[in-house]
Amino acid sequence: MLCSDIIRAVHAEPLVVSNEERLTKDYKAAFASDLMSDALALIQDEFEHTILITGLCNAQVLRTAEMLDLETVLFVRGKKLAGADLMMAQSMDINLFTTTYTMYETCGILYGQGLGSIS
Amino acid sequence: MNKILQKEFHVERDDYANAGMASSQIKSTLKQVGVDPKVMRRIAVAAYEAEINMIIHAWGGVVYLDVTEDGMIHLIFQDCGPGIPDLEKAMTPGWSTASKKARELGFGAGMGLPNIKRVSDEFTIESSPAGTSIFLTFRVEE
């Protein structure tokens, strides 16, 4: 699913676009969790084609994405990072978006439109 | 075995603001020596989990990074205590003693040590009230 289609599907608002080329990138899967340990344990493949969906909103989300080489993070329930963290995302070359949908709604919409789960 | 790279990183107790900084530095250091991206990701995951443990469970400590001539990467996480009373329980997936603060950060799911062991080529842990040491080894090439 193209990143631009993901954004459109959940009416997401960009928080940081570090890399504009990725807006047209085709992502194969998403992983959704508020537990970063789960993300670190369970995302084991297709890192560059997986987006992270989370309701956790702090610097550790960015660190987790950095460690896993994830390029795109989607926050749910309208959550937004603060200034210093946005700059950190920029320096890590991570794109951040936020949607007002809940985690359940976000996952349902994206799964329904063809964005798969991690293998 | 001769070391071609040797570095150390200090991790402070309860320093939540900088949690992950040492792991980030380890990752960028290893990137410069051309470590395979897949290996690098495993190292980064192990380092980050271990660093978080040092901050949320221990009283801080030091991380030692060595790359040796035989293509091995060694990481030692040496904390200042108070130690892990029951190592067997600590290695059980889902078992956790994490604080509310740790859970707010997205950790404390009881996956840290099992996850570190899973991604490492070699894993050894020793613990006493004086501190816990985790010895990890990775081969540069998969």
Side-chain angles (χ1 to χ4, degrees), chain B residues 42 46 115-123 136-138:
Chain B
R42 290 196 285 117
N115 205 15
I116 295 167
K117 187 177 182 185
R118 179 183 62 81
V119 296
S120 307
D121 291 320
E122 286 173 33
F123 170 94
L136 306 178
T137 304
F138 300 83

Side-chain angles (χ1 to χ4, degrees), chain B residues 7-86:
Chain B
K7 282 202 170 193
E8 62 180 65
F9 307 87
H10 293 261
V11 177
E12 304 298 326
R13 176 185 187 176
D14 291 337
D15 187 8
Y16 296 102
N18 289 309
M21 189 73 90
S23 307
S24 183
Q25 287 169 350
I26 288 167
K27 193 174 179 188
S28 50
T29 300
L30 292 175
K31 218 177 237 179
Q32 287 164 15
V33 292
V35 176
D36 178 276
K38 284 184 184 172
V39 178
M40 179 100 78
R41 207 174 288 124
R42 290 196 285 117
I43 295 169
V45 167
Y48 186 41
E49 289 276 21
E51 182 184 351
I52 290 287
N53 277 351
M54 271 185 165
I55 294 167
I56 66 179
H57 293 296
W59 300 329
V62 184
V63 186
Y64 300 93
L65 166 68
D66 292 335
V67 182
T68 49
E69 269 183 347
D70 57 352
M72 304 298 271
I73 296 162
H74 305 273
L75 276 172
I76 302 171
F77 296 82
Q78 209 162 57
D79 72 41
C80 309
I84 302 170
D86 190 333

